[in-house]
Amino acid sequence: MSQYHDPANVTNPEHAEHHIISPATYIAVFVTLLIFTGITVGAAYIDLGILNPIVALAIACFKAVIVILFFMHVKYQSRLVKLTVAAGFFTFLILITMTLTDYMSRAWGLW
Amino acid sequence: MSAHTIVNLPDQRTATMPKRNYINNEDGILSWLFTGDHKRIAMLYLVSITFFFFIGGAFAGLIRLELLTPQPDLMASDTYNKFFSMHGIVMIFLFLVPSVPAVLGNFLIPIMLGAKDLAFPKINLLSWYLYWIGGLFTLTALVLGGVDTGWTFTTPLSTHYLNTHVVTAAVGIFIIGFSSIFTGLNFIVTIHRMRAPGMTWFRMPLFIWANYAASILMVLGTPVLAISLVLVALERTIGIGVFDPTKGGDPLLFQHLFWFYSHPAVYIMILPGMGVISEVISTFSRKRVFGYTAVAFSSVAIALFGFFVWEHHMFIMGVSNYSALVFSLLTMLVAVPSAIKIFNWAFTLQKGSITFETPMLYAFGFIGLFTVGGLTGVFLGALGMDIHLTETYFIVAHFHFVMVGGMLMAFLAGIHFWWPKMTGRMYSESISKLAAIVTFIGFNMTFLPQFILGYLGMPRRYHAYPPEFQVLNVLSTAGATILGVGYMLPLLYLGWSLKYGAIAGDNPWQATGLEWQIQSPPLTENFTEIPVVDHDAYDYEWLEHKTAQEVTTVG
Amino acid sequence: MDNVSVATQPHTHEEHHHVSLPQHRHHFETEEQQREAGTFGMWLFLLTEIMFFGGLFFAYLLYRNWYHDAFVAASNQLSIPLGAANTAVLISSGFFMALGVWAAEVRKKGLLVLFLVITTVLGFIFLGVKYVEYHEKWEKHHIPGAHFDISEFVNPQAYGLKEQPLAPDMAAKTQIFFSLYFAMTGMHALHMIIGIGLLVWLTWRSYRGEFSAGYVAPIEYFGLYWHFVDIVWIFLFPLLYLINRHPGQ
Amino acid sequence: MHISPVLWQFLVKWLNSSALFPREASTIAPYADALYFFLLTITVVGLILVAVLVFGFAIRYRKERNPVATQVEGSTLLEATWTIIPLALFMVAWIWGALLYFRIYNPPTNAMNIYVVGKQWMWKAEHPGGQHEINALHVPTGRPVQLTMISQDVFHSFSIPDFRVKREVIPGRYTTVWFEATTPGTYHIFCTQYCGTNHSVMIGDVTVLNPEDYQKWTQGSTSGTSLSQNGERLFASMGCNSCHSGSAAARGPNLAGVYGSKLQLSNGSSVQVNEAYLRDAILNPSQHITAGYAPIMPTYQGQISEDGLIDLVEYIKSLKSNYRVQQTLTTSQSNQAAPTTPGTVNP
Ligand code: HEA
Ligand code: HEA
Ligand code: CUA
Ligand SMILES: [Cu+2]
């Protein structure tokens, strides 16, 4: 059994090599972030109707994702860490969607 | 001791406590206050939560005393309101939430996994200090005059209509919340990262699974409580208006956020107890837990589904009726994994070889009382029924059945089960059995009448009540007295055993967990060498084999 | 009685041979295990932060939908140039933090200290700008509470604004916007302040050379925290500043 | 639920005469009790089942009788059984509970309406005919009664256990509940939501009268002016009629017949006008602008008490034509008791 020769009991899905990300990557990410900040400010001045908040949030999500993946090294982390990050956002989504079931349907009926 | 137990104490004439163990490893009060040892921290927690339990219990006693008569005679309304608020706050946040995890979990999780300590010993100690800072805030609120919000802090009552020490109490709970978060975080990391070689996920004792599930709830749920309390405090101090209907805020939003934590919190309060029951039932029937995977996964399922049902505390509060429908359905679903566990425990007994030591008696108590408590939870989850039952003594009875009949019984089962391991001493079996029976009887006398009262319509948090409810209330108060005595007993004989109890030896129950294979009380580092695990949890054949071998090598 | 009676094998971690560093804690079997535990623990902590801010974000979402006009009008009171500049400052700060982690990993003490100092300075700049913004709110009576004043929203022309006037009942709801604005940016700023405190401490330790010999964990964990604070701002900026910048169209 | 009527009668009688069971005094109560007994049966059967298993095994397999345990792994069949059976029972409870819930929270259209205002620490009931009661409520038997409730301060909860109805009374929003009383008598009203110091004295009695007695009571205790008459006065004194004058050139829409109609809003949606909508239209007018009008109506937030709002709402509900509005416009500040509005129904 594999776990015998692994004193840290770091079974594979939970394990990743330490990976050093080069400054070049950081610079690329940094520039992308600045560009997208510009885009999101610009987009705010254009009337896209319902799309305005969607675009703004999409850009924010994109920026957050690249920060998480590169600045926070998640791209090079074990699956466990990736799952953990996902679980956090998933619970946040539960909070939002399940609470919204109340607020959205309050107007539906008499009550 | 009857011939039919499995208690296996060493020969008391020659038995000695291990020379070196975590208790006598270092001396002086400071060595305890600055310890990083999970076992010592667990003992610190044990003392602390016992202290708070009796504070909460004293409030319960006073509540019951006031309710002896229908008239508001013993104390003023405000005082009564402060008493049940403090009773709820102290019992939940300072006693029940940390009870099994912070005491037994802290002590046992690393040992059961074959690790030398939790992943972050300093954070573990920090948790304990946070617990106390929060506890002191709560006590301060109490000393300064108390809070009378109820433990639920309902807005706008808590934000605009009370001039008691709400902010102090909120800060206290906020801090205790972080204590709980750090405990949960420590457990999760430890369980993922510190398992001994060979300790695969499905070899872990079910106690670990249960605590793992509860830890997830602590980590993900507690911050939402924190933010809702922060908003309440801000509302009181600078009037930000997020929950204030006169400013356009929605007071129900507070309840959504509060119960988003506090429903999962009830599972924080029961899951670790369920873990204890798995260990105890298995040990005293000498049998692997029936359907190990089903029990393990049902813990995780409860944790997961536990996040989806909070609105059942708000069914009549003006939430959308359609959404109530959804939450009612999910409430029914979350009840199923608990049923699965109950039946698995029952079938663990089948074909076992059962003995009835004290922990086992408490575990039987748990099964019966939790079944009643859980099934009455289903009454409340059924929408139309909840309309009549909500905010009455039926609720009070429901949650005392699950929390006191369930978790507290489980906690006592666990304390009695691991006491010899934690202290190296054995308590007297006969008096402890008596205590178990007294608590069971007292408990039923206290809380069964409350179901009837609830259906009759007696509202909770009532200082005075119509006279026709008196008979049942008297019964309940009488029961509470018996219950109180039942809870004093362990304090006495366990305290006594610390000095005079028989030396327990390594494995008095002949149990299989890793914790039983080391000396009691354990060494500071638990294992001199990290064990390699080559058997499943609850493998009694392995234990027999091992014992046989030891006898031959020693003999 | 020997205290380990589980089937123990003569232990094998020599095979893996990890250098035993002074920071290695006794209860971890290996350095690797300790590092991974730390990262994982830090991430779990960040999960709690997600949920903590999550409650605020939900409140924002709810009231934005209920009182959209008030939110638009109130949001237009915020200065986009300041907000955008501050976003850039914070992103840069995050960038230098990332470089700091890199510098520690490649064991360059001078660079590490430099990057941490830049990170700290940028953090201070961010807070400074925030102070300017808060101060403006104070002068305009936009701080929720007794001094809150809605006349600017009811009668924007009088204040030289091009906004559509709001009905008084809607204008009153701008207070909720500002409540959330202060709660959210305030919580964020609090995290920044705590972060800067830690940064100063870490900078000093780096200066003493503690993190340029292969032991980078504290820098790494702190980096995670700092980036998380960035991410919160990445969402706050569009939500609070950029809701609707074309009044009357 | 089909229980033999004789058995049911017997059961009800027995339970009613013992103090362990609340009286069944509304048409809803039997439905609630049926579900209660269903759930009780599940509980008792479930508990017995668990007890039989636990004690059965504990006795049969105690160490004396069974010194050596036989290891068993588990059984998928059994797991499935005890997943599916409780699940099925819980699903029944869910559907049954939901049906009851919608029954209790869905008033019949012909229900008579009584307003209830909760505040720390009393209940105020306001009948459309102008009868006001504190911590008391008089209702007739055999007629569905709808309560439209609101709180002036914190959450309260209006509960009549013997009717098996209860509903939270919330600040800032109307909630409703309904019942039809069956048996004359007095029953408790409790405030069940913790609302501060005197929560436990926020109680009262609901007196159920048979229709004739009720008729007598309404006549005997009227305050002289009905709610809508009060409303009419407010309507004039607050200056509502300056905009809602009912003429074609008025700045505000014509309010006659607006209650119960479907309004087209300027944001494209449409709403059914009920009490809650009317109340909100007065307090937060700009949140739902009627199509074709400018958002000029001022807010009356903080200027009218909940009682005043109820009067206004009743008045607008009662407006079947513009006749009265125009009348008040000419008499302007009318202090004298206004003549009865055509179309106002006495309860
Ligand atoms: C340890 C704590 C704990 C636990 C475990 C539970 C478990 C459950 N609770 Fe409870 N609950 C509380 C603590 C707890 N609760 C508290 C403190 C409150 C009040 C808070 C306040 O307002 O102050 C409360 C209130 C509460 C309410 C809100 C009532 C109201 O305010 O109106 C509801 C409503 O749905 C509910 C439901 C449930 C359900 C469905 C479960 C389920 O998880 C139960 C599942 C268990 C079983 C179902 C038993 C096992 C089943 C069997 C053995 C099967 C039997 C066999 C057959 C049917 C064949 N609870
Ligand atoms: C862990 C949780 C926990 C525990 C263990 C208990 C334990 C007990 N609780 Fe409590 N209870 C709650 C959690 C808990 N409770 C919560 C959350 C509420 C809701 C609060 C709210 O509405 O906000 C509540 C509310 C509550 C009420 C309702 C109050 C009301 O709504 O007006 C009542 C009434 O009977 C009650 C009774 C009891 C009793 C008799 C015990 C007994 O089990 C306690 C027995 C223990 C002792 C008695 C202590 C030992 C003896 C001594 C220290 C000697 C001195 C004692 C005396 C002065 C007699 N509790
Ligand atoms: Cu009003 Cu309780
Ligand atoms: Cu719940």
Side-chain angles (χ1 to χ4, degrees):
Chain A
M1 277 194 198
S2 65
Q3 56 266 38
Y4 272 94
H5 52 256
D6 194 350
N9 194 36
V10 201
T11 38
N12 275 332
E14 308 198 345
H15 179 62
E17 283 306 318
H18 193 74
H19 184 280
I20 299 181
I21 303 173
S22 75
T25 319
Y26 287 145
I27 292 173
V29 172
F30 177 52
V31 173
T32 319
L33 287 174
L34 288 182
I35 292 174
F36 272 87
T37 307
I39 295 179
T40 193
V41 172
Y45 284 100
I46 309 167
D47 190 355
L48 302 169
I50 182 75
L51 284 180
N52 266 102
I54 296 177
V55 167
L57 276 180
I59 292 176
C61 288
F62 174 74
K63 282 160 74 182
V65 166
I66 60 174
V67 170
I68 291 174
L69 287 183
F70 297 100
F71 280 4
M72 300 173 91
H73 304 183
V74 167
K75 183 154 188 274
Y76 308 98
Q77 294 284 10
S78 59
R79 223 170 67 204
L80 174 67
V81 170
K82 288 180 181 146
L83 269 176
T84 310
V85 180
F89 286 100
F90 177 69
T91 323
F92 175 48
L93 277 183
I94 297 177
L95 171 65
I96 290 190
T97 50
M98 294 303 285
T99 319
L100 279 182
T101 60
D102 173 17
Y103 286 101
M104 304 232 300
S105 60
R106 269 193 206 171
W108 289 0
L110 245 183
W111 311 296
Chain B
M1 229 162 279
S2 96
H4 309 294
T5 62
I6 52 168
V7 181
N8 177 14
L9 299 179
D11 182 350
Q12 292 298 319
R13 283 161 309 177
T14 56
T16 47
M17 292 285 269
K19 269 199 216 58
R20 222 160 54 80
N21 60 46
Y22 80 98
I23 298 173
N24 65 15
N25 186 36
E26 278 177 279
D27 283 329
I29 186 90
L30 287 185
S31 74
W32 283 86
L33 293 182
F34 294 108
T35 181
D37 180 5
H38 64 102
K39 296 177 291 299
R40 284 184 160 210
I41 295 173
M43 295 315 267
L44 290 176
Y45 263 116
L46 178 61
V47 174
S48 319
I49 68 162
T50 308
F51 170 73
F52 280 108
F53 171 74
F54 282 99
I55 291 190
F59 284 122
L62 290 163
I63 290 175
R64 283 311 331 162
L65 220 52
E66 167 61 62
L67 294 177
L68 196 57
T69 58
Q71 296 81 25
D73 36 21
L74 187 66
M75 53 187 93
S77 300
D78 269 333
T79 319
Y80 180 82
N81 297 343
K82 285 171 186 163
F83 281 180
F84 72 69
S85 304
M86 290 312 292
H87 168 67
I89 291 172
V90 168
M91 281 299 197
I92 289 200
F93 296 110
L94 288 164
F95 171 66
L96 206 60
V97 168
S99 63
V100 173
V103 177
L104 297 172
N106 237 335
F107 198 100
L108 294 162
I109 286 177
I111 311 186
M112 284 180 165
L113 291 172
K116 290 183 175 169
D117 204 327
L118 284 174
F120 309 113
K122 282 187 188 154
I123 290 183
N124 197 17
L125 184 65
L126 176 70
S127 292
W128 184 73
Y129 277 105
L130 287 175
Y131 170 89
W132 261 106
I133 296 172
L136 286 177
F137 266 96
T138 315
L139 289 179
T140 310
L142 174 66
V143 172
L144 291 181
V147 262
D148 54 352
T149 53
W151 81 281
T152 48
F153 286 87
T154 323
T155 53
L157 182 69
S158 65
T159 49
H160 289 87
Y161 291 88
L162 299 173
N163 49 10
T164 47
H165 299 270
V166 180
V167 173
T168 322
V171 170
I173 295 173
F174 182 92
I175 297 173
I176 303 164
F178 275 89
S179 156
S180 165
I181 288 176
F182 286 134
T183 304
L185 189 156
N186 226 333
F187 285 178
I188 296 181
V189 175
T190 308
I191 293 168
H192 271 282
R193 289 285 181 225
M194 315 276 289
R195 281 171 285 130
M199 179 57 84
T200 58
W201 280 87
F202 292 99
R203 282 182 180 170
M204 295 192 315
L206 289 164
F207 180 74
I208 305 265
W209 275 97
N211 273 288
Y212 180 70
S215 302
I216 292 176
L217 295 174
M218 291 185 198
V219 168
L220 290 170
T222 321
V224 181
L225 173 75
I227 190 67
S228 57
L229 290 175
V230 166
L231 288 174
V232 165
L234 288 178
E235 182 101 41
R236 278 185 76 87
T237 46
I238 57 175
I240 69 166
V242 182
F243 301 137
D244 181 359
T246 60
K247 287 186 180 155
D250 184 12
L252 271 187
L253 179 61
F254 169 79
Q255 297 200 18
H256 275 298
L257 296 179
F258 179 85
W259 290 114
F260 182 85
Y261 164 75
S262 291
H263 180 81
V266 310
Y267 295 123
I268 297 176
M269 292 181 252
I270 198 71
L271 280 167
M274 291 171 154
V276 172
I277 300 301
S278 295
E279 303 296 314
V280 171
I281 299 259
S282 164
T283 300
F284 296 103
S285 45
R286 326 239 24 91
K287 218 173 129 262
R288 186 177 157 80
V289 173
F290 191 89
Y292 171 96
T293 28
V295 179
F297 281 133
S298 62
S299 290
V300 179
I302 290 176
L304 184 67
F305 280 98
F307 274 118
F308 290 88
V309 303
W310 74 86
E311 203 186 271
H312 66 208
H313 297 271
M314 309 159 64
F315 280 158
I316 73 156
M317 302 271 184
V319 295
S320 143
N321 292 6
Y322 302 103
S323 124
L325 203 60
V326 175
F327 276 93
S328 172
L329 171 64
L330 291 162
T331 303
M332 297 302 168
L333 295 184
V334 81
V336 175
S338 304
I340 295 178
K341 278 175 189 275
I342 296 272
F343 287 115
N344 276 300
W345 290 324
F347 273 79
T348 303
L349 298 172
Q350 188 206 14
K351 304 212 169 115
S353 172
I354 303 166
T355 53
F356 302 95
E357 280 81 3
T358 318
M360 191 66 159
L361 296 188
Y362 278 111
F364 282 160
F366 172 96
I367 292 183
L369 300 179
F370 178 74
T371 302
V372 175
L375 285 169
T376 50
V378 176
F379 285 54
L380 303 173
L383 288 168
M385 201 75 258
D386 185 55
I387 294 178
H388 180 55
L389 296 176
T390 187
E391 295 158 5
T392 65
Y393 263 79
F394 196 93
I395 307 267
V396 176
H398 156 67
F399 66 70
H400 283 95
F401 262 79
V402 277
M403 297 202 298
V404 185
M407 184 63 157
L408 187 50
M409 285 279 179
F411 175 68
L412 288 170
I415 287 290
H416 284 90
F417 185 54
W418 282 295
W419 189 257
K421 181 52 63 186
M422 297 197 289
T423 63
R425 299 273 182 180
M426 200 62 203
Y427 46 83
S428 140
E429 270 279 310
S430 45
I431 183 155
S432 60
K433 282 181 182 166
L434 178 74
I437 291 163
V438 168
T439 30
F440 185 81
I441 294 171
F443 178 85
N444 280 302
M445 238 176 104
T446 315
F447 295 109
L448 273 181
Q450 294 187 358
F451 281 124
I452 304 172
L453 277 173
Y455 203 73
L456 283 171
M458 176 168 163
R460 65 188 284 204
R461 298 171 169 177
Y462 258 32
H463 173 218
Y465 54 87
E468 68 261 33
F469 298 145
Q470 189 177 7
V471 177
L472 290 165
N473 270 300
V474 170
L475 204 60
S476 180
T477 302
T481 317
I482 301 181
L483 190 56
V485 172
Y487 289 139
M488 297 297 275
L489 286 177
L491 194 65
L492 300 178
Y493 62 76
L494 288 180
W496 179 86
S497 81
L498 282 179
K499 195 149 169 78
Y500 306 105
I503 306 277
D506 290 359
N507 193 357
W509 314 121
Q510 299 292 292
T512 57
L514 281 186
E515 78 273 26
W516 297 109
Q517 317 311 324
I518 58 176
Q519 69 177 36
S520 9
L523 286 170
T524 300
E525 62 270 35
N526 300 343
F527 304 95
T528 38
E529 270 184 279
I530 291 300
V532 174
V533 182
D534 55 3
H535 59 277
D536 287 351
Y538 318 115
D539 190 339
Y540 292 91
E541 277 145 24
W542 165 85
L543 181 71
E544 230 165 81
H545 186 132
K546 184 194 134 215
T547 323
Q549 255 184 348
E550 266 166 18
V551 171
T552 45
T553 42
V554 175
Chain C
M1 187 127 231
D2 72 349
N3 49 64
V4 182
S5 26
V6 184
T8 34
Q9 293 186 345
H11 213 24
T12 53
H13 61 205
E14 293 80 50
E15 292 165 19
H16 287 255
H17 207 81
H18 287 257
V19 204
S20 195
L21 294 164
Q23 64 275 6
H24 181 169
R25 303 228 170 274
H26 72 94
H27 62 285
F28 285 107
E29 282 299 283
T30 65
E31 190 81 10
E32 183 71 15
Q33 187 188 26
Q34 178 176 353
R35 200 178 55 77
E36 299 216 331
T39 314
F40 183 39
M42 195 60 210
W43 268 106
L44 283 173
F45 178 72
L46 294 184
L47 289 202
T48 70
E49 294 275 11
I50 294 179
M51 295 311 293
F52 185 81
F53 280 100
L56 285 172
F57 277 108
F58 181 80
Y60 172 86
L61 176 73
L62 176 68
Y63 294 124
R64 181 186 196 273
N65 278 315
W66 279 10
Y67 307 127
H68 184 258
D69 294 348
F71 270 49
V72 169
S75 148
N76 286 357
Q77 290 283 325
L78 306 183
S79 156
I80 290 196
L82 284 184
N86 236 357
T87 311
V89 168
L90 205 56
I91 290 177
S92 315
S93 169
F95 168 65
F96 284 106
M97 188 64 228
L99 287 182
V101 174
W102 168 80
E105 278 165 341
V106 297
R107 309 183 182 195
K108 296 198 165 129
K109 180 181 144 187
L111 276 181
L112 170 60
V113 174
L114 176 70
F115 288 143
L116 290 185
V117 168
I118 299 179
T119 309
T120 318
V121 169
L122 289 170
F124 272 117
I125 294 179
F126 179 90
L127 287 177
V129 174
K130 214 66 249 145
Y131 172 77
V132 171
E133 291 190 271
Y134 280 7
H135 188 71
E136 188 201 345
K137 306 279 165 324
W138 171 260
E139 295 194 322
K140 285 179 161 177
H141 295 282
H142 286 166
I143 308 235
H147 297 290
F148 193 77
D149 183 11
I150 58 168
S151 47
E152 204 161 338
F153 301 106
V154 181
N155 197 356
Q157 276 78 18
Y159 289 79
L161 296 172
K162 290 195 297 289
E163 301 282 327
Q164 294 286 331
L166 288 182
D169 61 310
M170 187 53 95
K173 307 301 188 299
T174 53
Q175 193 169 353
I176 294 207
F177 175 87
F178 284 109
S179 293
L180 286 169
Y181 169 82
F182 280 107
M184 294 168 109
T185 58
M187 281 300 155
H188 179 259
L190 186 68
H191 279 79
M192 297 275 303
I193 293 169
I194 295 172
I196 287 178
L198 291 171
L199 257 176
V200 171
W201 180 56
L202 285 178
T203 313
W204 183 67
R205 286 179 65 186
S206 313
Y207 175 72
R208 299 197 346 180
E210 284 184 36
F211 305 127
S212 25
Y215 172 55
V216 298
I219 300 283
E220 215 181 309
Y221 304 154
F222 177 78
L224 292 178
Y225 173 84
W226 196 247
H227 295 306
F228 177 81
V229 178
D230 279 6
I231 290 176
V232 172
W233 183 259
I234 285 177
F235 281 98
L236 287 184
F237 172 58
L239 291 180
L240 295 172
Y241 288 73
L242 304 178
I243 294 178
N244 192 335
R245 278 293 163 171
H246 24 80
Q249 283 172 19
Chain D
M1 268 270 295
H2 282 287
I3 297 183
S4 138
V6 181
L7 191 68
W8 182 249
Q9 287 280 307
F10 175 76
L11 212 67
V12 167
K13 222 184 197 131
W14 181 72
L15 288 169
N16 273 341
S17 58
S18 72
L20 297 182
F21 195 77
R23 286 176 290 175
E24 285 186 321
S26 77
T27 52
I28 287 167
Y31 290 99
D33 291 343
L35 174 54
Y36 180 65
F37 285 121
F38 169 71
L39 289 166
L40 207 58
T41 314
I42 295 189
T43 306
V44 171
V45 170
L47 183 66
I48 292 179
L49 181 68
V50 171
V52 165
L53 287 175
V54 168
F55 285 116
F57 289 147
I59 292 165
R60 167 66 187 77
Y61 296 107
R62 67 188 189 279
K63 195 174 172 93
E64 292 95 321
R65 266 193 72 177
N66 198 34
V68 182
T70 319
Q71 299 301 325
V72 184
E73 259 316 296
S75 148
T76 318
L77 184 67
L78 279 176
E79 297 292 347
T81 316
W82 60 58
T83 309
I84 291 169
I85 293 179
L87 182 65
L89 289 171
F90 296 162
M91 285 302 108
V92 175
W94 172 58
I95 291 174
W96 198 336
L99 292 175
L100 182 62
Y101 186 73
F102 284 91
R103 182 185 292 278
I104 300 177
Y105 284 163
N106 220 351
T109 41
N110 64 343
M112 66 182 259
N113 190 40
I114 300 174
Y115 291 91
V116 173
V117 178
K119 61 181 220 180
Q120 281 178 330
W121 291 274
M122 62 193 241
W123 295 110
K124 254 194 291 182
E126 312 199 353
H127 298 253
Q131 296 82 356
H132 293 270
E133 304 179 68
I134 303 274
N135 289 342
L137 180 67
H138 285 75
V139 293
T141 55
R143 229 178 120 181
V145 176
Q146 174 185 334
L147 303 180
T148 302
M149 309 185 288
I150 193 157
S151 160
Q152 277 185 11
D153 37 44
V154 299
F155 279 68
H156 302 276
S157 183
F158 191 88
S159 157
I160 310 174
D162 292 333
F163 293 178
R164 314 285 190 277
V165 296
K166 178 184 291 149
R167 185 91 207 224
E168 203 81 0
V169 178
I170 308 178
R173 184 142 64 96
Y174 285 134
T175 50
T176 58
V177 71
W178 78 279
F179 54 81
E180 182 182 325
T182 52
T183 335
T186 49
Y187 307 94
H188 289 295
I189 298 170
F190 291 127
C191 172
T192 49
Q193 174 65 274
Y194 175 62
C195 55
T197 309
N198 286 329
H199 165 57
S200 63
V201 295
M202 192 165 162
I203 56 180
D205 286 315
V206 46
T207 310
V208 177
L209 304 166
N210 53 39
E212 304 84 69
D213 292 340
Y214 181 69
Q215 195 65 35
K216 269 186 234 138
W217 178 82
T218 33
Q219 275 149 17
S221 55
T222 178
S223 58
T225 46
S226 69
L227 295 185
S228 64
Q229 282 166 331
N230 287 336
E232 179 167 4
R233 253 187 266 161
L234 265 177
F235 199 73
S237 65
M238 309 276 310
C240 313
N241 52 7
S242 63
C243 296
H244 298 284
S245 64
S247 70
R251 288 190 292 164
N254 185 352
L255 295 180
V258 72
Y259 178 76
S261 71
K262 217 177 177 77
L263 271 190
Q264 211 60 43
L265 298 188
S266 65
N267 66 5
S269 61
S270 62
V271 288
Q272 185 79 33
V273 178
N274 55 13
E275 286 88 351
Y277 182 79
L278 288 178
R279 179 181 176 277
D280 212 41
I282 301 169
L283 295 180
N284 297 312
S286 68
Q287 257 154 64
H288 14 60
I289 309 288
T290 313
Y293 289 89
I296 50 165
M297 173 163 165
T299 169
Y300 290 89
Q301 183 94 53
Q303 301 175 33
I304 317 180
S305 68
E306 290 299 344
D307 304 71
L309 283 165
I310 287 172
D311 295 339
L312 279 174
V313 167
E314 269 300 291
Y315 173 62
I316 296 171
K317 273 170 75 177
S318 73
L319 281 176
K320 296 290 184 282
S321 77
N322 281 315
Y323 170 72
R324 290 295 313 158
V325 180
Q326 270 140 17
Q327 279 303 116
T328 46
L329 209 52
T330 48
T331 49
S332 197
Q333 254 88 50
S334 67
N335 291 341
Q336 72 273 44
T340 22
T341 311
T344 321
V345 267
N346 267 333

